[in-house]
Amino acid sequence: MRGKDDTRDIFELCQALLSAEGQVSGLRLAATILDRYAALEQNEKTAFFQFLNNELDIDAQQVARLATEYAKTPTPAVFQKLSTASEPKRQELFRRLNQPVGATQALVAMRVDLLARLKEDSDLARTNLDLVHLLRSWFNRGFLVLQQINWDTSARILDKIVAYEAVHHINDLDDLRRRLYPPDRRCFAFFHPAMPDEPLIFVEVALTADIPGSIDSVLSDHRTPLDADQAKTAVFYSISNCQKGLAGISFGNLLIKQVVSELSMACPQIESYVTLSPIPGLNNWLATQTEDERHGNTAQSTLDGTATSEEVRAMAARYLLMAKRDDGLPVDPVARFHLGNGAMIHDVHANADTSPNGAAQSSGAMVNYLYDLTQVERNHERFAMDAAVVASRGMRALSNATLATQTKE
């Protein structure tokens, strides 16, 4: 039997995997192809993706002919032929590649390479769509495993939590311990059975007496821990996606809902579930407002650090409620995520994140999104159907006051 010493090139191996030979020795062929791919130079990987995109595409004329035939004669036999012809061969190739141990992780890594090439060759989006279609199936909720990350979790996974933290940098092991060990701190992650040592996404949670208005206080080295049974609020203060190859495959909504369920059982006295979230698009938006006579002065003063705390809050409220893309959805990506999950904009805070990153992206402002479990489904439907931004009365009053004041000026 041929193995790693197979002299065929990677394109011939792929064709063999799709043939009758692949049905007999698919596991061996798949492993050989994945090993061969991992050893390719960058230009060879580009050629590989172009092969998938062009040589393993659908035959559009055949699909059109079969669609016409099915319209006239909608029999199961014709439907089967049409379905087979409508699926690119590369989808079946990816399925057959996903057989050896470690193959799923290898395909996730392969998509990282594919995404990098999309910037130069937009036609490769066809192959990307097929791979995303399969990854969404392989990583659906039924396969995800929720695990609590604590100080006793394996060092290998803890190291990855440090490396993948994307919102509030973890400085060292002492910093990590402060986020995992105290009784008022929790961390939860989704894993997949095919990648047991690789977190897909994780959320860090602070159990607090009140809704906090500063990440600096949440992460303070000198704070006094709270007994978990005294907490009234669960604060999701950091959500980090870990796998670049799974970009566009959302786990956050599922993770938050599952964690809320876990916490409601472990700490039934908790009354509020909120986030303390960054506002990553605020300063970029403010920079486009500086020439608007209605609120240019306040926007500029927020950018240069001379605005009052209330002025910063007012501009953040206006941005979150009013700044929209052409499709009517909020400009801010974090707002789109939480509003899409059914949360509401509860409050904004100035001087909430004094880190260099916080100052650069939002002049230190942060926002609480509130997950009211009695309203989540309704809010989600309003956002999905009408792009409705649900906000507290205080936030709407703050945004409207900003408009009224600046129009008067």
Side-chain angles (χ1 to χ4, degrees):
M1 293 177 64
R2 294 181 177 183
K4 292 184 179 180
D5 59 345
D6 198 314
T7 59
R8 291 175 289 184
D9 64 33
I10 194 168
F11 311 114
E12 294 172 313
L13 291 170
C14 288
Q15 296 288 12
L17 184 58
L18 288 170
S19 69
E21 179 186 347
Q23 296 175 6
V24 175
S25 53
L27 186 66
R28 173 183 53 78
L29 274 172
T32 302
I33 292 169
L34 292 174
D35 287 342
R36 194 75 59 85
Y37 173 83
L40 294 179
E41 299 293 338
Q42 294 302 318
N43 63 319
E44 294 173 322
K45 289 183 177 180
T46 298
F48 174 74
F49 289 124
Q50 290 172 342
F51 163 77
L52 299 181
N53 208 55
N54 300 322
E55 300 303 319
L56 301 184
D57 204 3
I58 61 172
D59 183 336
Q61 292 183 345
Q62 181 187 25
V63 171
R65 177 179 59 78
L66 288 169
T68 300
E69 182 180 350
Y70 183 69
K72 296 178 179 178
T73 313
T75 63
V78 178
F79 175 79
Q80 179 63 53
K81 291 179 182 178
L82 176 59
S83 296
T84 301
S86 299
E87 181 181 276
K89 293 179 181 178
R90 55 182 169 261
Q91 276 199 30
E92 181 60 23
L93 177 68
F94 286 135
R95 289 193 191 95
R96 296 190 183 192
L97 284 175
N98 192 32
Q99 297 182 69
V101 174
T104 303
Q105 188 167 344
L107 289 171
V108 170
M110 184 184 290
R111 185 167 179 249
V112 176
D113 295 336
L114 176 58
L115 289 173
R117 283 155 180 79
L118 275 176
K119 300 174 183 178
E120 303 294 331
D121 187 352
S122 59
D123 283 348
L124 292 178
R126 301 199 303 273
T127 295
N128 183 54
L129 288 170
D130 285 326
L131 189 49
V132 168
H133 170 74
L134 293 171
L135 289 172
R136 282 179 175 156
S137 175
W138 298 337
F139 285 85
N140 72 51
R141 178 63 187 92
F143 293 111
L144 303 183
V145 178
L146 183 72
Q147 294 184 23
Q148 182 172 346
I149 307 299
N150 55 42
W151 195 240
D152 295 324
T153 299
S154 72
R156 178 182 300 181
I157 292 177
L158 292 183
D159 286 343
K160 290 177 179 177
I161 295 296
V162 173
Y164 289 137
E165 166 60 60
V167 184
H168 302 294
H169 178 70
I170 299 175
N171 298 310
D172 51 34
L173 287 178
D174 287 336
D175 191 7
L176 177 64
R177 190 176 189 276
R178 285 191 292 270
R179 302 192 192 194
L180 299 180
Y181 186 74
D184 58 353
R185 292 296 182 264
R186 300 287 189 277
C187 180
F188 297 89
F190 268 147
F191 291 83
H192 190 281
M195 301 167 59
D197 294 327
E198 280 288 339
L200 307 180
I201 186 174
F202 65 89
V203 60
E204 296 170 71
V205 185
L207 304 181
T208 62
D210 304 297
I211 296 177
S214 167
I215 193 62
D216 298 334
S217 64
V218 170
L219 298 179
S220 172
D221 299 353
H222 308 295
R223 69 177 190 83
T224 301
L226 184 73
D227 289 338
D229 59 5
Q230 295 178 346
K232 298 297 183 183
T233 303
V235 185
F236 306 105
Y237 67 87
S238 180
I239 301 175
S240 297
N241 285 294
C242 306
Q243 306 298 323
K244 292 181 180 179
L246 296 176
I249 301 170
S250 179
F251 305 111
N253 182 16
L254 295 170
L255 179 63
I256 289 175
K257 289 181 178 179
Q258 189 68 32
V259 170
V260 167
S261 177
E262 294 284 328
L263 289 175
S264 64
M265 290 187 291
C267 304
Q269 81 284 355
I270 290 178
E271 299 172 352
S272 301
Y273 294 90
V274 303
T275 76
L276 183 58
S277 299
I279 314 176
L282 177 58
N283 278 5
N284 287 338
W285 176 78
L286 288 172
T288 70
Q289 308 301 303
T290 55
E291 297 181 0
D292 188 327
E293 293 180 357
R294 292 183 303 161
H295 52 276
N297 291 338
T298 307
Q300 185 57 49
S301 62
T302 301
L303 286 170
D304 61 28
T306 60
T308 66
S309 294
E310 198 61 16
E311 286 173 332
V312 172
R313 292 185 67 241
M315 293 307 294
R318 176 173 167 76
Y319 165 70
L320 291 168
L321 272 68
M322 304 296 183
K324 303 292 181 65
R325 305 189 310 190
D326 291 341
D327 60 5
L329 295 177
V331 168
D332 194 84
V334 178
R336 292 196 301 272
F337 172 76
H338 288 296
L339 294 171
N341 289 346
M344 67 177 291
I345 302 173
H346 176 70
D347 201 1
V348 289
H349 309 277
N351 304 313
D353 183 358
T354 59
S355 70
N357 186 55
Q361 68 181 4
S362 64
S363 297
M366 298 188 77
V367 55
N368 299 127
Y369 295 98
L370 174 66
Y371 281 82
D372 182 342
L373 303 186
T374 67
Q375 298 294 319
V376 163
E377 291 302 324
R378 178 173 178 270
N379 293 343
H380 164 73
E381 290 176 3
R382 291 182 62 190
F383 186 79
M385 299 297 293
D386 304 316
V389 175
V390 181
S392 66
R393 290 183 180 179
M395 285 293 294
R396 293 204 173 277
L398 185 59
S399 177
N400 290 335
T402 305
L403 285 171
T405 300
Q406 291 166 352
T407 301
K408 184 177 179 179
E409 291 174 352

